[in-house]
Amino acid sequence: MRLGVCYYPEHWPQHMWPRDAKRMAELGLSRVRIGEFAWSRIEPEPGRFDWDWLDQAIDKLHEAGLGIILGTPTATPPKWLVDRMPDMIALDAQGRPRGFGSRRHYCFSHDGYREEAARITRAVADRYGRHKGVVGWQTDNEYGCHDTVQSFSTAARDAFRSWLAERYGSIDALNEAWGNVFWSMEARSFEEIELPNLTVTEANPAHWLAFRRFSSDQVVRFNRVQVDILRALSPGRDIMHNAMGFYTGYDHHDLAADLDVLGWDSYPLGFLEMFRFSDEEKLAFARSGHPDIAAFHHDLYRGCAAGRGAEGRWSVLEQQPGPVNWARHNPAPLPGMVRLWTLEALAHGAELVSYFRWRQFPKAQEQMHAGLLRPDDASAPAFAEVEQVATELDAWAEPGPGVKHAAIVFSYPAEWMTQIQPQGEGCSALWAAFRSYEALRRQGLNVDILAPDAPLDGYRLIVVPCLPIVPDDLADRLASSASQVIIGPRSGSRDADFAIPEGLPPGPLADLVGGRVVLSETLRPGLFHNGAGWNVTRWLERLEGDAEAELVCDDGTIACWRNGRVRYCAAWPEGQLIQTIVGRAAADAGLPVDLLPEGRRRRTCERLTFEFEYLAGGVSVSATA
Amino acid sequence: MRLGVCYYPEHWPQHMWPRDAKRMAELGLSRVRIGEFAWSRIEPEPGRFDWDWLDQAIDKLHEAGLGIILGTPTATPPKWLVDRMPDMIALDAQGRPRGFGSRRHYCFSHDGYREEAARITRAVADRYGRHKGVVGWQTDNEYGCHDTVQSFSTAARDAFRSWLAERYGSIDALNEAWGNVFWSMEARSFEEIELPNLTVTEANPAHWLAFRRFSSDQVVRFNRVQVDILRALSPGRDIMHNAMGFYTGYDHHDLAADLDVLGWDSYPLGFLEMFRFSDEEKLAFARSGHPDIAAFHHDLYRGCAAGRGAEGRWSVLEQQPGPVNWARHNPAPLPGMVRLWTLEALAHGAELVSYFRWRQFPKAQEQMHAGLLRPDDASAPAFAEVEQVATELDAWAEPGPGVKHAAIVFSYPAEWMTQIQPQGEGCSALWAAFRSYEALRRQGLNVDILAPDAPLDGYRLIVVPCLPIVPDDLADRLASSASQVIIGPRSGSRDADFAIPEGLPPGPLADLVGGRVVLSETLRPGLFHNGAGWNVTRWLERLEGDAEAELVCDDGTIACWRNGRVRYCAAWPEGQLIQTIVGRAAADAGLPVDLLPEGRRRRTCERLTFEFEYLAGGVSVSATA
Amino acid sequence: MRLGVCYYPEHWPQHMWPRDAKRMAELGLSRVRIGEFAWSRIEPEPGRFDWDWLDQAIDKLHEAGLGIILGTPTATPPKWLVDRMPDMIALDAQGRPRGFGSRRHYCFSHDGYREEAARITRAVADRYGRHKGVVGWQTDNEYGCHDTVQSFSTAARDAFRSWLAERYGSIDALNEAWGNVFWSMEARSFEEIELPNLTVTEANPAHWLAFRRFSSDQVVRFNRVQVDILRALSPGRDIMHNAMGFYTGYDHHDLAADLDVLGWDSYPLGFLEMFRFSDEEKLAFARSGHPDIAAFHHDLYRGCAAGRGAEGRWSVLEQQPGPVNWARHNPAPLPGMVRLWTLEALAHGAELVSYFRWRQFPKAQEQMHAGLLRPDDASAPAFAEVEQVATELDAWAEPGPGVKHAAIVFSYPAEWMTQIQPQGEGCSALWAAFRSYEALRRQGLNVDILAPDAPLDGYRLIVVPCLPIVPDDLADRLASSASQVIIGPRSGSRDADFAIPEGLPPGPLADLVGGRVVLSETLRPGLFHNGAGWNVTRWLERLEGDAEAELVCDDGTIACWRNGRVRYCAAWPEGQLIQTIVGRAAADAGLPVDLLPEGRRRRTCERLTFEFEYLAGGVSVSATA
């Protein structure tokens, strides 16, 4: 695994660049990511390009031995461009234009902007595509950041109508698929379909699901324009994009299919503070991050990058090195955490960990975001940890790929559907996957997170935490597998257009599960059914069929059903309940079950085994037994 | 009492209709409500009507012996109509158009839409008004649902100005009545009056009260257009509308005056979750509903339907049969609850309980809303309970009218005023009425909820929980009554235009109460004055006068005053305080006081007495002693 | 000190005015504030003035011996004016017009409205400027109330661009100062700078800071137009404005520089309820107000009025006399509080305490706001307390100026910066100042609150709780002082344009503090480091340098550093931590340290010493020892 850093030469006087490059190399870094926000410096006036500074920067970095990952600057179109085509601005769900003055203000559906993005990509790739120092590309930056995938502009509306026409063929087919007869929502032509925002009460969930799919497709299409240009003008270089944490605004399986390497930006402390962890977890792990945040995304994005076959190529393109500026509260990591996070990435197979950023910039929005260096150029606490880990990486053998234990099946549309129709507050497919992952990791197991169409071979335990749309092919492969299987609630509960399947949930999984879901209900926090060391929370389904009750509450409520090697979790998969089910299934699968103490996690690779102590910031590494 | 069901033939293939009709009849149902969202099927293109399917549906249902309640489809104008008159769309308080894509997107003040609503009503009534199977009509559906009574459109503004001109005659009268001299808000003509939304800080409460009255009048006027058409074209049929729970957006006393039967839609579990109950109550009654939710509305709407005289005719037009889809959390009812809710309606004098809906529709917004049948046509849990209660209804005698015990006086403008000017968070006239009702019901008493102009004869105890505007006539009738009377805070505290009366609150009630309110204050939660088993919360008034202190806190604060047979509750009427006052007054009134255990309620009718066990889902019925 | 009252003759029939005036005088009042909302009565039609009523009112009040403070009515432009220039309306941060119907609907940057405001000011000053009864003027009313300083209108945008051009000279200078290269935010001309609202994610903090400064300057400029007219047309009269509590929307140091007397409006109970006090404080002081609310503002506004030199002239222009109408909950003050609050103002050197209002107005927005008289003209509870305090004031000696103990340095831009970039929720410079003030007052000390450019002579203890921008001059004066100094977090952490200073924080204070801040982090509630009777919360900085650790947590975290007579509080200055540091520094300074019991406060003036018992509503006054 390589180490790298994110660097913004345009923020610093030119005389500092050679020394910066030298220090990077001395620290043990071999990659530097640059350029992704520099449009106003590359093209300060319409059509007038200033390449000189970037030539210099790239040359200096290259001379120091660093491989450059160059970003296309399309996340930050400059003011002159916005003024030339004001309707390139996205509209938010309230119908307000998302103004210039930060970043990501463009609408993915605006043809004019997509052409401009192609133009600047072509210009940069023309100039540097075959430069020896350039080893990779990053398209744009964090698609969707600040909730920017969906736009409610006229451009988006028109593109949505075309997309619908292509998907459904006829308006009658759309009306039928969505059930538009309900509430007289029937359209007579695709021109009568509006965007689903600002309706009086919720729009048709099928309408929203289509809009989510469309919006995701617009991102993929926008990205592909750049990928095609870069492939043509910069042959042999890896094309990447940097995904985010707990973010599902577009389908990462689709995007990754066009990339060579899927990157992601890992901010364990910021994510802990801003996402759906309990107050207890936020306090306990304030300085380390919850021990599954980074690993979950490593495994998720490796799966996205893998697509239908080979081990996926993935990287950490931004790694938190100290306090950040954007969470509600921004504590400093425990000593040792930057090293620990780096080694967790190593253990999961990253190609690169790139720290964000080289030196803290004393101005503008991220002035409180730590770097490896302080604004005064002295080293920040992370610097020494990077130094140590760089030495260790040199000294150690490659860990080898992770041993196959368990797989989780997750899809982005699953999360969209639970967002569109939670039915009970807090019921999210993404979090069902996260809590199932946590339960598996607590048992010391390796986990791969797979798309519904990914191969399942070699896993002794397969968990489908919450997958409303189950493709027939997946159902068939689960049926013909010999693995232990855990199916969670809502799985198979919808057809491709958000309708309940004719034979009731779990649809194509009914035979596998040995029953049908005849009633679903949701429970407010505090309302639960007690079991033996676990309980039923949030969601509860009643099954009819041949499956046997395996976990039964004191009041007779059945939390988990069993049909041979298949278990059906009828309540929300979280806490001790999913821990208990996972423990039983893993034991039945003959997996090496070992409930780890709080804060400890293990990753078993072919050659090395890692034990991470999140509460202490420590890592122990040993040869795999 | 009859049983019925809500049915949407347009959702199902035509071949299912005869079998559905037959099963309804076999189940013991005699009424079926249809058609209220079917505009796009009745008139798929402007001016082109498709009656064939509806002819078939009505005939099949009629042939099975069912009486049909037909809805006018005006809650869901189709897209082609919105595109023809885009300004028929309501604007919300933020000034945003409330877009097409769900329902209730029209502005009540738009003349063009009102004409269209009349046109479609006339068309449907022309076709089916004299059909033998049609026994009743429902106008529109749930006026006000999703906060749709108020619109801030140009149409609304213009209509409001006309309404004001009619009410006040001259702009000087309006300025004087509202006190517009305050903050230089004086207008020189009605054309200078704007809608009260989007002001810098709160608008004049008199301005808001006028707008609330106007908005309510627009609903009544809109409804009356349909009622007049239906009366003319469908003689002898009952005209109804379906009101909602805890909803006060328009004056139901006014609306009911134009109807034959006031219906309402009873969803005890959804209401518990979504309205102002404590977390403790939400947990304790999650599967049964708070034991007063349904009964309160039965008694409220019976009072609305009664108007100035006879026992009011009312029905439950939609009855929750299982989990719904629209609350934050949606649990399943306890076994027995559907029967219990049905019998509670019987005990309060409903003409009809109509379950919503016949069969769960697997598509669109309400796909997670249970029906009597599952989407796969098998029976859902409620089916058997309906079967049982249908048999019981056949077997039992009619219970007879409720024995007169206590009356609560409530008006819709009272609630508008406490919403406009809460003065202390959580102080609402509606909830003062609900908590007073609960206290009376806990004592095993029957309660009628009356408009201020309804007769008070025959009640031994009359409670006025919070009635800012007290008509002189009501004051006179209370004065000349011999009943025990409880007056709650803010009663008599305002004139008709929201000004404090000259002689201070309680205005026309001063003699009755034996004092005047010289100071009002509100208390944050946690700030209270302790009494003996009760305490003073939220609101506290100081009285001067001849009344005697009856309930005095440890610190000398007086919670309740007494002036002969009249008590004045000077603190917010809730919890143990109103329980204590009600207990004393009921005892003084010679009423059969009997504090029931938690979850138990009683309803004493002329011939039958019902005991409802909400926590167990049980009902016992006996002959009235 | 004088007593006065706010009076609205236009609310009452003319025949009541002479009697009202007589009662005021008999009560012991000598000032009456009138006219500030009366535009629609003064100029009922464009250009048609009605002076008669106001002539009468002023004459009657004058005849009773009262000195009149006359308000310009510019806070409430009438409807006819808004209709003539609709774009005078401010736009809120969401881009919505702030409609007519309450008050403060104008945009400070609208040239047309500023001319209208000058015209009406000139008209009123022409008529009454030399009237013998008129002793003072109030410009407008509560600038900024209801969040009205910032407007996002076209007028504001254009004026902002001009303001920026003046401040920065060239667009390159602005780009450089703000660091606009970050995220390609560089502008090519001032015409490319937009307002900072409605950006996709947060705008550049330098952009916001400039907009806050600009918005403040627009208020000062608007006010100065009136001041210039009044000075010219009404020589010898005091010109004032009434500031608010916990309000920092404009720079009060700047505004006060143009005034003779700075007034403020003191509502201790409303402020307690609506501002950032803990629930425990809100309950404990619900009826008295937190004991430092009024005093903090007295000392703050005295400092604002003082400017660079003399003891500042200040007044309480509105004093809460009972329950108000505008807080979430509105309790009544404890008996004695109106007297106590009056004497607290006396002890801090007020020239005037003016009760708001004479008689409760039974109509419009403030009908629930108590006065000295009830709406029925009888005396409200405050009346007798005013009577008592008026007598006492006559009997007692003038207390003399406060003895100099400690000073707090506070600036408005400091608070803007912590609002723009809190980094950790709840970290506010204003509240750092308030909690430091509380700690000093708990020790029985007098406190002056000073602008950064105010003289520091005579203070034995100087506290700089949180001052991101430290002028070099202040750093020099602190360095050359012999006083004990406490510097709080973030002080000296930014340059004038929101950039981190080259040598790191605390910038110009580095030598004084004996160290540099190399890392800042913020801690969620519940995350803290325990010390001995205090702990570290919210904010934590690491220092490198020669200072010694003075307060060290159990885990080694350093909460407070000491460098000779200077202490650096490295954690958030609140609670027991700042109490401990203040106690040590005050002892070192030789100040009379005396930790007072909860609810007691002391003010030591030259001749009189006051002890206030907030929890009991009592005051004891004695000769200063």
Side-chain angles (χ1 to χ4, degrees), chain A residues 181-184, chain B residues 5-11 32-42 53-54 58 68-78 102-106 113 120-121 124 136-143 226 240-242 265 267 317-318 354-358 366:
Chain A
V181 60
F182 193 80
W183 291 354
S184 280
Chain B
V5 75
C6 305
Y7 184 53
Y8 300 89
E10 68 271 27
H11 295 176
V32 59
R33 188 186 72 146
I34 68 168
E36 80 273 18
F37 298 125
W39 193 332
S40 74
R41 285 291 164 100
I42 292 172
W53 71 272
L54 191 50
I58 288 175
I68 293 143
I69 298 166
L70 195 50
T72 66
T74 50
T76 52
S102 61
R103 59 178 179 175
R104 305 214 56 74
H105 32 282
Y106 67 84
Y113 183 63
I120 191 72
T121 299
V124 179
W137 291 89
Q138 178 186 294
T139 54
D140 202 281
N141 185 75
E142 291 184 346
Y143 288 132
Q226 297 194 18
M240 333 179 189
H241 178 74
N242 53 334
D265 297 345
Y267 293 94
L317 285 176
E318 300 183 9
S354 172
Y355 303 96
F356 185 89
R357 61 184 70 213
W358 176 241
E366 293 180 356

Side-chain angles (χ1 to χ4, degrees), chain A residues 360-372:
Chain A
Q360 186 174 348
F361 184 46
K363 298 178 182 179
Q365 280 91 335
E366 293 180 357
Q367 56 182 246
M368 293 294 279
H369 193 302
L372 298 183

